[in-house]
Amino acid sequence: MSGGRRAVTGPLVHYANLVSDLAVDLAEGGALRAWAEQAPREVWLLRPGDVLVSPVEIGEEFLAYACALTGVPRASLGVVADPGAFGAAAARSGPHPAVAAVRGAAGARPPAAVLPTALDASAVALARGLGVPVHPYATADDAEAALEVTRLLNTKAGFREAGRELGMRMPDGRVCRRAGVAAAVAEMLRAHGEVVVKPDRSAGGHGMLFLSAAAVPWAARGLAAVGGERGLWVVEERIDAARSVSVQMETGPDGPRTLFTGEMRTVEGAFAGYAAPLPEASAGLAAVLEEWGGALGRYLAERGYAGPFGLDAMVSADGVPYAGESNVRRTATTTPQAMAARLAAAGGCGKRAWATGRVRAEPGLRFGAAAARLRAEGLAYDPARCEGVVLYAGAPAEGSAWRYAVLAADLAGALGYEERLHAAWAPAA
């Protein structure tokens, strides 16, 4: 990155581009719509004068709730909700569709930079339209130069190649085109008995298949309809994972640094929540994750990337870690951690342990009523003690569960709040 890091002293445009082809094929509309619903969580990053560009509406009750906890005046923030401001359409030549709305929301305080959830072509286009850099790059040109490696390391095949080069322990696997998946599955089932089949571009477990020898004969018609005939797939031995863990880092010209480590909650390979930090008993595992993540961070920085990234790993029943994938973007864990650190600092507390998950409530519950319910149950986040439950992503879409974060001085305390939350919100028998 020729210009190095750029210190930002003015307002930021937070571009919540969860609708991006970095994570999945843009044809995967269902997955993208579900991820777009998480965009309100970016509210926890906002400072006075900032503007949030979101693919979904941000409820005013949620905004008021978040602003009360962060101490940011609601009137100082701009919010632009525009589903058309993301994805391929926003990366085409010509003005980015959100430029005028962002300028209007910013008012007399022009933005200093664009901070995207993920570095993609639409983020660069928005920055160019506003005449500002993409944070933390010095210029939009520097950010654009990093698009290739960012895109590559958000793929399963790209990570396998880099991981092998960097000396990470990885599951046995094959990379193939769609037409070769059935043969690769048969070969890998003979060798390992169980396999996992992954689209090259997938996140959160979307589109993955888990197969065993009992599944033979197997037909490729079970594959997700993405990628076309030329699209890549990864067929790997299935690790009997006792745990799924990750390290989240950031990198740039000064090299990588660790932000946090933690344990993922997964259901059939799909992300369902997170708990951080890893316990002290897992210090050896954390060291391995940081070693692998550091190598990946240097690899990314050498190719021009600057910003956040995560490395996921599986731990076998006998304690052996295997590198799984990289996510070169802000992930579903990055914002809750930033929120926990921010709230702890505001309360004058030390580092907080935290966990995230989802809990169901009765249909039609409004955000204000949900927050009042937490207070009545003695579960709501208490700024004086820096602990409790935060509804960190606003009211869910109809039929979905509420996303929450629990914060406490240690992980046992956070998990205690979580247990009480699920008990209190359990449907009546």
Side-chain angles (χ1 to χ4, degrees):
M1 192 170 66
S2 60
R5 289 181 186 269
R6 179 181 186 273
V8 175
T9 57
L12 292 172
V13 175
H14 296 259
Y15 184 50
N17 55 334
L18 287 86
V19 179
S20 171
D21 63 355
L22 283 185
V24 297
D25 191 293
L26 287 175
E28 294 291 277
L32 290 168
R33 283 191 295 273
W35 290 338
E37 295 296 332
Q38 300 180 52
R41 71 189 186 208
E42 302 305 299
V43 165
W44 298 101
L45 305 178
L46 301 180
R47 306 280 177 173
D50 287 355
V51 175
L52 173 61
V53 183
S54 167
V56 298
E57 294 288 338
I58 310 292
E60 282 297 328
E61 288 182 311
F62 172 63
L63 277 167
Y65 167 85
C67 287
L69 287 175
T70 60
V72 175
R74 168 65 185 94
S76 71
L77 302 176
V79 177
V80 174
D82 184 355
F86 301 86
R92 292 179 186 144
S93 59
H96 187 286
V99 167
V102 169
R103 285 182 174 147
R109 297 190 63 185
V114 170
L115 177 64
T117 299
L119 177 63
D120 65 5
S122 69
V124 174
L126 178 58
R128 289 196 191 284
L130 293 169
V132 299
V134 178
H135 185 68
Y137 299 88
T139 68
D141 286 345
D142 286 337
E144 187 171 43
L147 290 177
E148 182 177 352
V149 70
T150 304
R151 185 171 178 82
L152 179 64
L153 267 296
N154 276 301
T155 66
K156 303 296 186 285
F159 175 72
R160 281 191 64 85
E161 181 177 351
R164 285 196 303 269
E165 179 181 331
L166 297 172
M168 300 179 197
R169 182 185 299 106
M170 309 188 79
D172 184 25
R174 307 286 183 272
V175 177
C176 54
R177 303 290 181 189
R178 188 185 191 91
V181 171
V185 166
E187 176 192 349
M188 295 290 288
L189 284 176
R190 286 192 297 270
H192 301 288
E194 291 186 295
V195 301
V196 56
V197 185
K198 309 174 183 179
D200 189 38
R201 194 171 298 283
S202 173
H206 181 72
M208 292 168 54
L209 288 176
F210 296 88
L211 302 172
S212 67
V216 178
W218 174 80
R221 62 177 176 270
L223 299 180
V226 296
E229 288 302 313
R230 301 301 297 165
L232 292 177
W233 290 78
V234 172
V235 181
E236 288 182 345
E237 65 170 309
R238 183 175 183 179
I239 302 299
D240 184 15
R243 304 168 68 187
S244 296
V245 295
S246 78
V247 61
Q248 304 295 314
M249 308 181 81
E250 65 179 17
T251 194
D254 299 328
R257 74 179 184 97
T258 301
L259 300 175
F260 59 95
T261 60
E263 186 153 358
M264 293 177 283
R265 288 100 175 257
T266 61
V267 178
E268 283 297 297
F271 181 85
Y274 199 77
L278 286 175
E280 290 183 9
S282 299
L285 174 59
V288 171
L289 290 173
E290 292 190 33
E291 178 185 348
W292 290 350
L296 182 62
R298 289 186 289 275
Y299 180 97
L300 288 164
E302 288 166 1
R303 290 157 180 80
Y305 179 78
F309 70 97
L311 187 149
D312 298 347
M314 302 155 287
V315 183
S316 67
D318 55 355
V320 178
Y322 293 83
E325 66 180 23
S326 56
N327 297 294
V328 186
R329 55 186 184 270
R330 298 185 66 86
T331 70
T333 66
T334 316
T335 299
Q337 186 273 339
M339 178 191 73
R342 182 174 187 178
L343 294 181
C349 303
K351 288 185 178 179
R352 298 287 91 179
W354 56 275
T356 64
R358 282 177 274 187
V359 62
R360 290 199 173 274
E362 63 271 19
L365 182 65
R366 293 184 61 85
F367 186 87
R373 179 174 175 177
L374 287 181
R375 291 192 293 271
E377 293 162 342
L379 295 172
Y381 180 78
D382 181 350
R385 294 183 294 119
C386 300
E387 62 181 46
V389 179
V390 178
L391 299 173
Y392 80 93
E398 195 67 32
S400 300
W402 291 73
R403 297 178 186 273
Y404 64 81
V406 288
L407 285 66
D410 55 39
L411 196 53
L415 298 182
Y417 273 105
E418 184 175 52
E419 183 177 353
R420 290 169 57 196
L421 172 65
H422 280 271
W425 286 37

